[in-house]
Amino acid sequence: GIPTHLNDTTQHFTYPGNYPFQSYSARFPVPGQKRPGDITSNLYYEASVGPVRLFVLNNLIPFDETSDQYVWFNQAIRSVNRQITPWLVVMFHS
């Protein structure tokens, strides 16, 4: 049916919301998942879609200057070549 066709032909970029992390991690692998099977490995990530770089952050885990997510995001956003990828999009659940 239509839902199956859409799932097979459309890219999905999920992000964790206010539901259990373990269920989310088990059901929604993400681009560049760092450690498959680790329930914290897909709580934030980045992906490229044409001229767009998408950053998916997680406001339910630490984002202070010493957190893994903050350090990763700063390194990731600085590594984008804006001549090749002019659009930056950041998304998170609020």
Side-chain angles (χ1 to χ4, degrees):
I2 292 173
T4 302
H5 178 73
L6 286 175
N7 283 337
D8 290 342
T9 60
T10 305
Q11 282 186 295
H12 294 82
F13 298 102
T14 63
Y15 57 91
N18 52 346
Y19 39 86
F21 288 154
Q22 188 170 10
S23 296
Y24 169 83
S25 288
R27 293 184 175 108
F28 300 107
V30 299
Q33 188 168 357
K34 297 175 276 304
R35 297 176 306 275
D38 180 343
I39 68 166
T40 63
S41 70
N42 64 342
L43 298 180
Y44 53 90
Y45 63 94
E46 65 183 306
S48 292
V49 181
V52 177
R53 178 67 119 208
L54 173 67
F55 297 93
V56 180
L57 302 179
N58 186 331
N59 65 322
L60 300 174
I61 61 174
F63 194 74
D64 60 66
E65 291 182 2
T66 62
S67 71
D68 289 343
Q69 181 177 207
Y70 183 92
V71 171
W72 165 82
F73 179 67
N74 274 303
Q75 290 172 346
I77 203 163
R78 289 181 179 156
S79 71
V80 177
N81 181 336
R82 298 296 298 278
Q83 299 297 321
I84 297 170
T85 312
W87 295 93
L88 303 178
V89 175
V90 177
M91 85 175 186
F92 55 92
H93 183 274
S94 64

